Amino acid sequence: MAKAKDSRKLIANNKKAFFDYFIIEKLEVGIALHGTEVKSLRMGKCSIKEAFIRIEQGEMFLYGMHISPYEKGNIFNKDPLRVKKLLLHKYQIRKFSQEIAKQGYTIVPLNVYFSGSHVKVEIGLAKGKKLYDKREDIAKKDQRREAEKNFKVKNLY
């Protein structure tokens, strides 16, 4: 039985981005990698918690994404924190650069996953949250958790 071409296998996600930012727009982009990095990603050895994206000379780059070295890779392994190029069309990069020129906007990586056999990164145009926004989110989560707990207790009896 063959796998579906559009199957998505999550490698890493950035939960902190959803806590620290309002995500305005999302976009799926490709990423330029070397062979041993892909093998390491297949084993799930990736972190984007401290990652960020910059636009330089009309190209978009991902900084701070940690891909652990492949154990059987020896001399072919690359630096784990190497700057990686994101693959977008020029008009997409132009659109994002115009958006981040506004005060308080940035681009953050949200997820890294396999789409079929290709590694994809979901990036998001984000606006920073203020401290009171974060407190509001925490209060909503606590209320939801409390409501679910009460619902569970009622249904047990």
Side-chain angles (χ1 to χ4, degrees):
M1 189 184 271
K3 275 190 172 181
K5 194 74 172 164
D6 61 336
S7 65
R8 288 176 61 157
K9 181 186 171 221
L10 186 67
I11 301 167
N13 64 349
N14 191 354
K15 291 178 185 174
K16 190 177 178 191
F18 291 99
F19 182 73
D20 289 339
Y21 301 100
F22 293 113
I23 307 301
I24 287 67
E25 185 180 339
K26 294 179 184 179
L27 182 66
E28 176 185 84
V29 299
I31 183 168
L33 297 171
H34 293 281
T36 55
E37 290 175 325
V38 176
K39 289 179 181 183
S40 213
L41 287 174
R42 288 207 185 279
M43 296 189 318
K45 303 207 175 180
C46 173
S47 172
I48 57 170
K49 286 180 182 159
E50 301 296 320
F52 61 96
I53 296 171
R54 273 198 192 135
I55 297 175
E56 296 170 354
Q57 300 170 359
E59 294 181 331
M60 204 176 277
F61 294 97
L62 178 63
Y63 290 84
M65 177 180 174
H66 186 276
I67 299 175
S68 298
Y70 183 59
E71 2 0 289
K72 298 176 182 129
N74 57 39
I75 61 166
F76 299 108
N77 281 334
K78 300 290 180 190
D79 178 31
L81 291 172
R82 180 180 73 82
V83 178
K84 289 130 185 104
K85 183 178 175 182
L86 296 177
L87 309 173
L88 289 91
H89 294 282
K90 288 282 184 198
Y91 72 91
Q92 292 171 323
I93 295 172
R94 250 184 266 119
K95 181 183 172 199
F96 271 97
S97 64
Q98 289 170 356
E99 291 291 330
I100 64 171
K102 296 177 184 176
Q103 193 65 29
Y105 284 86
T106 187
I107 305 170
V108 292
L110 303 173
N111 295 317
V112 178
Y113 55 89
F114 280 104
S115 178
S117 61
H118 300 283
V119 178
K120 300 287 183 179
V121 178
E122 185 177 44
I123 63 173
L125 179 67
K127 184 168 176 54
K129 285 185 181 178
K130 305 283 187 222
L131 185 60
Y132 57 84
D133 292 327
K134 292 179 186 179
R135 287 181 184 154
E136 221 173 78
D137 284 351
I138 292 170
K140 284 179 185 175
K141 281 182 188 176
D142 288 344
Q143 287 175 346
R144 194 186 77 236
R145 200 176 300 125
E146 192 67 32
E148 286 174 0
K149 183 179 170 186
N150 291 338
F151 181 73
K152 211 180 263 187
V153 169
K154 283 181 185 178
N155 287 339
L156 285 176
Y157 298 109

